[in-house]
Amino acid sequence: PENEGHSDYEYGKILDASYRQHLKRHFLLSLYRILGIEYIYFLNVFDRRHRNYPVSYFLNPQGTDSDKAVLLFPKQELTSEGLVAFKVSIANDYIKVDGKDLDKKVFKERLAYVEDNLVPLLKLEPVEYKAKVEELAEKADSPHCFVAKMLDFYNQAMDARCGITPSTGIIAHYDATCSGYQLMSIFGHDADLAEMTNVIMP
């Protein structure tokens, strides 16, 4: 975490808490590997507002960036629709573009950014690609998820070049864009507003 105006003492406590969280997560993952556990399940509950939340500590599909980045679904063949969702998810993890969060732009703009700026990187050699991804991750809103998806993106491209159907287990995260207007577009059957707030694709 960045020292955002904290005193040295306060910042030290933040770093200490972050490090302890990392150690606990690392311990759990190591334990799963030692025991041969490949699949984990999350109990989900609804709160009084009917919002759904997983009951979990340290590893959580709705948790912090580093919590989410280590989780995968079992791999499945990547469809054309799945690839679009994957690219949108990469954009969601990224930075401000033209002063606006990329995850607040319409899908068309997010996809255009990925196609114009990130897809060309797939032509790089593995070592160069990894270095470039790590450099870009320093500006990402969700650096861990961004790196995980970009590395998987490269593996998909390598499979396609070898004639293997690409597959992935990466979880595609979506961020609600003006959720009130999203609901309004649904109740009002307003296709233009639905597209502007990412309820439907262009």
Side-chain angles (χ1 to χ4, degrees):
E2 294 182 6
N3 186 356
E4 298 173 343
H6 299 289
S7 69
D8 289 344
Y9 174 73
E10 292 170 335
Y11 190 54
K13 288 181 70 174
I14 292 170
L15 288 176
D16 182 56
S18 178
Y19 183 59
R20 279 187 278 114
Q21 179 81 353
H22 167 76
L23 288 179
K24 291 171 184 175
R25 190 184 303 111
H26 181 72
F27 169 77
L28 271 180
L29 292 173
S30 299
L31 182 63
Y32 293 157
R33 290 192 187 102
I34 291 168
L35 296 177
I37 296 172
E38 295 182 13
Y39 301 100
I40 56 177
Y41 300 86
F42 294 98
L43 172 68
N44 281 258
V45 296
F46 288 94
D47 68 7
R48 60 185 176 80
R49 300 164 299 175
H50 303 288
R51 291 186 176 183
N52 185 36
Y53 293 100
V55 181
S56 171
Y57 297 100
F58 312 129
L59 294 174
N60 188 328
Q62 287 180 246
T64 64
D65 170 45
S66 53
D67 285 342
K68 294 184 284 191
V70 296
L71 298 174
L72 294 169
F73 289 126
K75 278 197 168 188
Q76 292 188 31
E77 182 178 312
L78 189 65
T79 63
S80 56
E81 183 181 346
L83 182 57
V84 169
F86 189 89
K87 289 176 180 177
V88 168
S89 189
I90 289 175
N92 292 345
D93 294 330
Y94 204 47
I95 56 172
K96 290 187 190 315
V97 176
D98 301 327
K100 185 177 181 183
D101 285 340
L102 199 51
D103 66 0
K104 297 298 183 281
K105 292 179 179 282
V106 295
F107 283 156
K108 184 165 57 177
E109 292 179 81
R110 300 188 210 187
L111 289 168
Y113 185 85
V114 172
E115 290 292 344
D116 295 343
N117 297 278
L118 303 180
V119 170
L121 300 179
L122 298 173
K123 297 176 182 176
L124 296 174
E125 292 298 315
V127 174
E128 293 177 280
Y129 181 83
K130 186 171 181 291
K132 185 62 179 176
V133 167
E134 288 174 354
E135 177 190 325
L136 292 171
E138 293 179 9
K139 299 184 289 184
D141 284 336
S142 301
H144 296 90
C145 286
F146 177 76
V147 169
K149 287 169 191 164
M150 287 295 287
L151 295 180
D152 194 78
F153 200 24
Y154 195 78
N155 291 336
Q156 294 167 24
M158 293 300 101
D159 284 347
R161 287 180 200 171
C162 297
I164 302 169
T165 302
S167 60
T168 188
I170 290 283
I171 299 171
H173 302 100
Y174 281 90
D175 184 31
T177 310
C178 309
S179 54
Y181 287 106
Q182 287 178 323
L183 292 171
M184 190 186 301
S185 73
I186 294 167
F187 297 138
H189 293 240
D190 187 332
D192 291 334
L193 182 58
E195 183 177 325
M196 287 172 61
T197 54
N198 300 311
V199 173
I200 58 175
M201 296 296 286

